[in-house]
Amino acid sequence: MTQSTSLVILAAGIGSRYGGIKQADSFGPSGEWLMDYGIYDSIQAGFTKVVIITRKDLRDVLYEHLNKWWGDKIEIEFVFQTPPAQHPDRVKPWGTGQAVLSTKDVVKEPFAIINADDFYGRKAYLAMGKFLQSVDPKALHFSMVGYPLMETLSDAGSVARGICNVDADGKLISVVEKTKILQSGANIVNEENEANPEILDPKGFVSMNFWGFTPALFPELVGIWDEFYAANKNELKAEFYIPSAVTNLMQKKNAIVDVLPDGNDWMGVTYSQEKDMVMQKLHQLVSSGEYPSGLS
């Protein structure tokens, strides 16, 4: 018997560098959003439900589009990333960890999370679906799709990436966020310290926020979040990130994270200049028959 699995889509971001609402922007030849391709691929991989995490001001536009495209194909639920009481001058959301925590009352099965504004490639969904179908729902046994760093850069500017340290058995040891990664001559470097840039392994895995979790995550995440919020409730920009929470559980609760080496064909739009490139590649995938026109 196969177990139910959910795809949780993070669609509450502001997209300040993009200059618009990229999670609801058209990229495909028939007006498809990037998350439409993720939903299509997840259905092919056997996922049974989609949960959209968003803001109340985006709910109507997301509901209209997704209900029209997917309402008769897969169950869809909406959850709002409602911030807790916070400093009156704070605008920034509390991050991916707090977003995922907002789904704890509707997600009762193994689940994956993705960004609404990334294209991850069919192979990644198939690998994640296989993992989630086989994992013990009660175990702190998680997964992450790894993408080679060199395939996740941008010609438009620097990017932030979670650099992964992986052991010989394919288990995650750590994720370290590097915030100013770019191509510099023959090397890929992190220029957070411009006077002494750090050379990075181009073939090393990075996290593109495609994680697989069991429901056992939620009780642990509540405690980690409560501790984080108590220490940061008056901060204007502090964020509670999923990689930090996972690292905490690996260190303190012996959580296991399988790194799935199936990341390829990733595309994203950190900057508005990247939209034309992504649109062109999606048109090519449709023309080649990889995806049907209109995803139907």
Side-chain angles (χ1 to χ4, degrees):
M1 180 179 177
T2 58
Q3 60 185 350
S4 298
T5 53
S6 286
L7 178 69
V8 174
I9 302 179
L10 304 174
I14 295 175
S16 56
R17 285 186 288 181
Y18 183 72
I21 304 173
K22 54 185 175 177
Q23 56 265 53
D25 203 355
S26 295
F27 289 88
S30 299
E32 297 92 340
W33 299 352
L34 287 179
M35 77 171 84
D36 288 323
Y37 290 94
I39 294 172
Y40 180 86
D41 283 338
S42 72
I43 292 173
Q44 309 310 305
F47 285 74
T48 53
K49 184 171 70 175
V50 172
V51 178
I52 309 292
I53 306 173
T54 190
R55 312 189 307 263
K56 289 187 176 180
D57 61 304
L58 292 179
R59 193 264 185 191
D60 288 347
V61 66
L62 266 60
Y63 180 85
E64 181 180 359
H65 175 94
L66 294 172
N67 188 57
K68 175 183 176 181
W69 282 66
W70 303 106
D72 61 344
K73 297 180 178 69
I74 192 169
E75 179 185 355
I76 298 179
E77 292 194 49
F78 286 82
V79 172
F80 299 119
Q81 184 176 1
T82 304
Q86 60 188 37
H87 192 286
D89 293 330
R90 184 182 172 105
V91 176
K92 199 172 183 66
W94 280 100
T96 54
Q98 196 265 331
V100 171
L101 189 57
S102 68
T103 71
K104 66 182 177 65
D105 293 329
V106 300
V107 176
K108 305 299 183 182
E109 57 283 315
F111 65 100
I113 68 167
I114 63 167
N115 295 330
D117 49 12
D118 284 343
F119 177 94
Y120 290 96
R122 176 84 46 80
K123 188 178 178 182
Y125 289 92
L126 293 173
M128 182 61 75
K130 183 178 180 180
F131 170 83
L132 295 177
Q133 286 289 340
S134 63
V135 72
D136 178 356
K138 297 179 181 179
L140 291 176
H141 187 182
F142 310 141
S143 65
M144 182 207 80
V145 179
Y147 288 79
L149 172 60
M150 61 186 180
E151 297 181 11
T152 70
L153 303 181
S154 171
D155 293 332
S158 65
V159 296
R161 297 287 180 257
I163 304 297
C164 300
N165 185 10
V166 184
D167 71 17
D169 295 323
K171 307 299 183 186
L172 185 66
I173 298 173
S174 64
V175 180
V176 179
E177 189 77 7
K178 309 285 186 178
T179 61
K180 197 173 182 182
I181 299 174
L182 67 159
Q183 188 80 41
S184 178
N187 295 318
I188 298 175
V189 300
N190 177 42
E191 289 191 346
E192 290 175 66
N193 181 352
E194 294 186 13
N196 186 26
E198 176 188 6
I199 297 177
L200 302 174
D201 178 2
K203 296 182 180 180
F205 283 133
V206 298
S207 166
M208 300 307 294
N209 218 34
F210 196 165
W211 295 88
F213 294 112
T214 65
L217 170 73
F218 291 118
E220 305 293 344
L221 197 58
V222 168
I224 301 170
W225 159 254
D226 287 345
E227 183 177 329
F228 174 89
Y229 181 68
N232 293 278
K233 60 185 178 181
N234 293 319
E235 297 293 329
L236 299 184
K237 295 185 177 181
E239 291 189 64
F240 181 56
Y241 292 114
I242 276 293
S244 299
V246 171
T247 298
N248 183 303
L249 291 175
M250 290 167 59
Q251 294 173 345
K252 297 182 179 179
K253 295 296 180 78
N254 295 318
I256 297 171
V257 181
D258 293 357
V259 177
L260 309 179
D262 300 278
N264 64 354
D265 297 331
W266 175 87
M267 293 185 283
V269 282
T270 302
Y271 302 93
S272 59
Q273 302 96 301
E274 295 170 306
K275 180 176 180 178
D276 287 344
M277 179 273 292
V278 172
M279 291 179 67
Q280 181 180 3
K281 289 187 177 180
L282 289 173
H283 278 249
Q284 291 171 352
L285 289 171
V286 172
S287 297
S288 69
E290 182 74 15
Y291 292 93
S293 178
L295 297 178
S296 62

